[in-house]
Amino acid sequence: MGKVLATRMAFGQELMKIAKTNENFVVCSADTKTCGIEKFGQVFPGREFSFGIAEQNLVAGAAGLASCGNKVFLATFAVFASMRACEQVRTFICYPKLNVTVIGTHAGLQVGGDGATHAAIEDVAIMRSFPNMTVVQPADAISSKALAHAAVEFTGPLYIRLHRNPVADFYNPETYVFEWGKANTVVDYGTDMTFIVSGILLKKAVDAANILREQGIYVRVIDMSTIKPLDENAILKAAKETGAIMTIEDHTIYGGLGSAVSEVVVQKCLVPMEIVGIQDRFGESGDTELIYKDHNMDVDSIVFKAKNLFQRKRSVTLSPHELRNDTV
Amino acid sequence: MVNHYYFTERDVYRLEKQAIQIREDIISMIYKAKAGHPGGSLSAVEMVTALYFHVLNIDPCHPDWADRDRFVLSKGHACPVMYAALARRGYFKPTYLDTLREYHSILQGHPDMNKTPGVDMSTGSLGNGLSVGVGMAMSGKLHKQDYMTYVLLGDGETQEGLVWEAAMAAAHHNLKNLVAIVDCNGVQINGWTNDVMTVEPLADKWRAFGWRVIEINGHDMKEILTALHTAKTMCHPTVILMRTVKGKGISFMEDDSKWHGAAPNDDEMIKSICEIKKGGVV
């Protein structure tokens, strides 16, 4: 096992590595410690532009750089990228389809002590509502590094959502391949239900699937790293083959992965669903795991909710007569 | 005070004549579209004419030429003046001007860089253009290209805080290849700018942010050409504060906020064209 790394640091470090041999991109920053690319200008003089504590200027300035043919990476906290500079992302990057990658770090509840002001719980809902925008979040450092390579080659508006704290590596660096818009089946224990996960909660989802297997419920787990465009085929396959879907994400239950998957399920293949995510409340300071637990996003809560979902699936698929005699 | 080395009396005559055509185009297209923003388009006619027909290093046959000068119309609602200039400069046929604001037209209600040849940045949301200009100027410096970036703002637009984030950044990065032009027509949608939200003293504000300031009459072609030449030679980012009249050239539109965003009716259209053709400019 290598050193445990946060998705944000893995991405930034890989970008710095790539920059040694690839001169085709520049970096814009706004005086935050985001993903380690704050040192970009020292290592690659002239290729980093400092905008100070001014996120709107950061984003609109990046649009100006991109309009002249530069591939631009800009980095700031997800909460500022998605809200302080919301309109600049929408109107000056997405609308003109400019080649800017917005790196939003410190996503979700993982900001820990910083509390609600710094916890981006609604950024996916905002970013995925913009036409022309691609939204992606890696599950661990391995997939984050792979994403860095893919992002450098990507053309167009891109939002990359990264987390603050180290998470255990889940993928094998030898075998992991990142593919745009493709869900990745990571565990396939059976067809009782599918967990569709995006981001660092993938490990919790798999842990929950393992516990459920021991209790006789067999779950499939897929990693939906690209939230937009969504891998509709993977969702339809999950709905048809397993008959129930639970989405799991470190984001408010309104507008994120859960909503995106629901939009497909409701319109194309109706099955019982459960959305695991941040309840309709702001984050707060405190230990991340305690906060996750408080929002029923910990492994035990996922197991509990999965059992409920399994019951609902059965009550939908069984006749009333069968239900009366049901002992599960 | 006029340095004839970089423009001649003949240039001035040619540009003033061109400005009459641009004014006529503006009124015609807004009349046909039954909507648009005549006031702020008319106040910027001389400046936009000077830029497109004398100053900008551009090639209408190659709108994406990498070394071209950039022009960002930060006050995007004044796009009729830019559309007229682009059409008359040869970026597209002037007949397209009749399609302003129509569904699927190349001429949107606010500029779209992917639909209109010659538009360097989509704009329309006020306060953003100078930041975009900062990025363009940074790119020029990075790649050692000698193009200039010009950004045209409204004076009311400087009420947006982002303008000053951009002003700060331009001075910090010493973007001498960036020129801001503020169309100080003194009127915004709900009345006099000084009544809505005072922006003055603008010159002091820009100076305090580290810019060189040139103040001119924005309807005097010689002053405009001189200012643009001077701005290009400065070693710092430069702002041209041009004093203008909103609705300039059409008597009943001048200094009246009603004409910020309204189209003339049949009678007003005829009267407007008559006044413009009489050459009521300068």
Side-chain angles (χ1 to χ4, degrees), chain A residues 23 50 112 172 174 196 207 229 248 252 283 300 309:
Chain A
E23 293 186 350
S50 165
N172 179 350
E174 306 297 322
I196 301 181
D207 289 348
I248 302 167
T252 170
D300 289 346
L309 178 61

Side-chain angles (χ1 to χ4, degrees), chain B residues 8-233:
Chain B
T8 63
E9 289 292 335
R10 195 176 163 76
D11 288 327
V12 174
Y13 173 76
R14 172 178 62 86
L15 292 168
E16 285 176 346
K17 211 174 152 199
Q18 185 64 57
I20 295 173
Q21 170 80 72
I22 299 291
R23 275 206 166 77
E24 203 180 325
D25 287 338
I26 290 169
I27 291 302
S28 301
M29 77 176 98
I30 293 174
Y31 168 74
K32 278 173 189 144
K34 295 189 173 61
H37 296 84
S41 302
L42 292 166
S43 60
V45 166
E46 280 74 21
M47 176 53 81
V48 172
T49 304
L51 283 166
Y52 274 96
F53 293 86
H54 193 75
V55 175
L56 293 181
N57 187 23
I58 48 177
D59 179 358
C61 296
H62 301 95
D64 297 328
W65 173 39
D67 291 327
R68 72 191 183 280
D69 285 342
R70 264 65 172 182
F71 176 71
V72 178
L73 185 67
S74 193
K75 46 177 279 182
H77 58 276
C79 55
V81 67
M82 179 163 63
Y83 293 161
L86 288 170
R88 298 295 168 186
R89 191 71 171 74
Y91 282 88
F92 49 86
K93 286 181 186 158
T95 49
Y96 278 105
L97 297 176
D98 293 344
T99 70
L100 173 71
R101 289 177 169 248
E102 277 178 14
Y103 193 47
H104 285 159
S105 169
I106 64 164
L107 304 180
Q108 296 290 295
H110 293 85
D112 182 332
M113 63 185 283
N114 292 319
K115 288 197 167 78
T116 313
V119 171
D120 291 323
M121 176 54 68
S122 305
T123 53
S125 168
L126 293 177
N128 292 281
L130 192 59
S131 298
V132 170
V134 163
M136 291 171 166
M138 283 172 163
S139 183
K141 251 179 111 169
L142 172 67
H143 299 292
K144 299 188 170 49
Q145 293 165 289
D146 61 0
Y147 65 77
M148 295 292 293
T149 299
Y150 299 88
V151 181
L152 179 59
L153 305 95
D155 52 352
E157 182 181 4
T158 64
Q159 291 159 357
E160 291 279 5
L162 179 50
V163 172
W164 303 102
E165 289 185 13
M168 195 186 293
H172 176 82
H173 291 281
N174 197 24
L175 301 175
K176 59 182 184 179
N177 50 353
L178 178 64
V179 178
I181 301 158
V182 185
D183 182 359
C184 300
N185 59 36
V187 179
Q188 58 191 107
I189 198 163
N190 279 332
W192 294 102
T193 298
N194 281 343
D195 291 334
V196 177
M197 178 53 66
T198 309
V199 297
E200 297 294 349
L202 269 181
D204 289 346
K205 287 187 171 100
W206 286 95
R207 272 190 208 106
F209 275 80
W211 287 57
R212 296 295 176 268
V213 179
I214 302 173
E215 294 186 82
I216 58 164
N217 172 357
H219 299 302
D220 184 317
M221 197 57 82
K222 288 179 185 171
E223 286 193 27
I224 290 171
L225 293 171
T226 305
L228 287 170
H229 178 79
T230 308
K232 200 173 171 176
T233 59

Side-chain angles (χ1 to χ4, degrees), chain A residues 257-323:
Chain A
L257 173 74
S259 300
V261 171
S262 306
E263 287 155 18
V264 176
V265 168
V266 166
Q267 294 180 81
K268 298 192 174 165
C269 188
L270 197 60
V271 295
M273 267 194 73
E274 182 74 34
I275 297 173
V276 174
I278 300 165
Q279 301 306 302
D280 191 21
R281 297 187 260 133
F282 285 107
E284 57 184 299
S285 296
D287 178 80
T288 304
E289 292 306 317
L290 285 178
I291 302 172
Y292 280 147
K293 194 175 173 61
D294 193 30
H295 287 262
N296 297 326
M297 295 157 68
D298 58 320
V299 174
D300 289 346
S301 301
I302 293 170
V303 168
F304 180 76
K305 287 186 176 199
K307 286 179 183 169
N308 282 343
L309 178 61
F310 187 55
Q311 285 286 6
R312 280 173 51 210
K313 173 188 165 184
R314 294 196 56 150
S315 65
V316 169
T317 51
L318 296 179
S319 69
H321 174 73
E322 287 172 312
L323 255 183

Side-chain angles (χ1 to χ4, degrees), chain A residues 24-96:
Chain A
N24 297 328
F25 63 91
V26 296
V27 164
C28 294
S29 59
D31 193 42
T32 40
K33 299 275 186 222
T34 54
C35 58
I37 58 171
E38 300 78 33
K39 293 177 192 147
F40 200 88
Q42 291 169 26
V43 184
F44 308 103
R47 287 173 66 186
E48 184 196 1
F49 299 94
S50 165
F51 284 83
I53 308 166
E55 291 79 12
Q56 297 175 42
N57 198 37
L58 166 78
V59 175
L65 273 158
S67 76
C68 297
N70 302 287
K71 164 84 188 182
V72 185
F73 284 85
L74 73 84
T76 184
F77 286 9
V79 76
F80 306 134
S82 63
M83 286 179 282
R84 176 65 72 99
C86 178
E87 193 205 6
Q88 285 70 36
V89 173
R90 173 197 176 272
T91 305
F92 295 90
I93 292 178
C94 292
Y95 175 44

